[in-house]
Amino acid sequence: MGIDPNYRSKPVIGDHSGHKIYSPQDQPPVPKEKALGVHGTIVGVDFDVCIADGSCITACPVNVFQWFDTPGHPASEKKADPINEQACIFCMACVNVCPVAAIDVKPP
């Protein structure tokens, strides 16, 4: 199960490092009480799907991502956070290398 491509239509539940956080999937792949939702609008990362293998961080030519600690999260204890999503050049490298399809990229 990857990121919900319609996550942008879900409620915004917060803000983090200048980007929105969208409500978790209706049936997240982690326990609901530990669900973190999707971070980012242009570059969305489903924090509940992300396993933190780092391939997106390495592949991104414009440094969109930065590690963010998520201690105790069942999928991984850190996430690739799209803190610089405005720099995205829509090359889709991150989407193409993510082994769990946790990333979705769409122009604003």
Side-chain angles (χ1 to χ4, degrees):
M1 169 194 303
I3 190 170
D4 175 359
N6 299 313
Y7 78 87
R8 293 167 187 86
S9 64
K10 293 194 169 224
V12 174
I13 60 170
D15 184 86
H16 175 252
S17 296
H19 61 260
K20 294 177 182 176
I21 304 171
Y22 293 87
S23 180
Q25 296 183 32
D26 294 332
Q27 295 181 351
V30 299
K32 193 82 166 173
E33 65 276 1
K34 296 204 180 247
L36 300 174
V38 178
H39 285 236
T41 300
I42 297 167
V43 179
V45 177
D46 190 327
F47 272 28
D48 300 313
V49 175
C50 176
I51 59 169
D53 82 321
S55 58
C56 58
I57 291 174
T58 303
C60 182
V62 293
N63 300 315
V64 165
F65 305 97
Q66 179 178 326
W67 287 121
F68 179 72
D69 290 330
T70 56
H73 192 269
S76 65
E77 296 209 343
K78 61 183 179 177
K79 306 295 176 182
D81 194 15
I83 63 156
N84 195 20
E85 68 175 345
Q86 296 297 327
C88 182
I89 58 172
F90 310 103
C91 69
M92 307 304 279
C94 59
V95 172
N96 293 330
V97 298
C98 183
V100 292
I103 304 170
D104 187 54
V105 174
K106 284 196 174 79

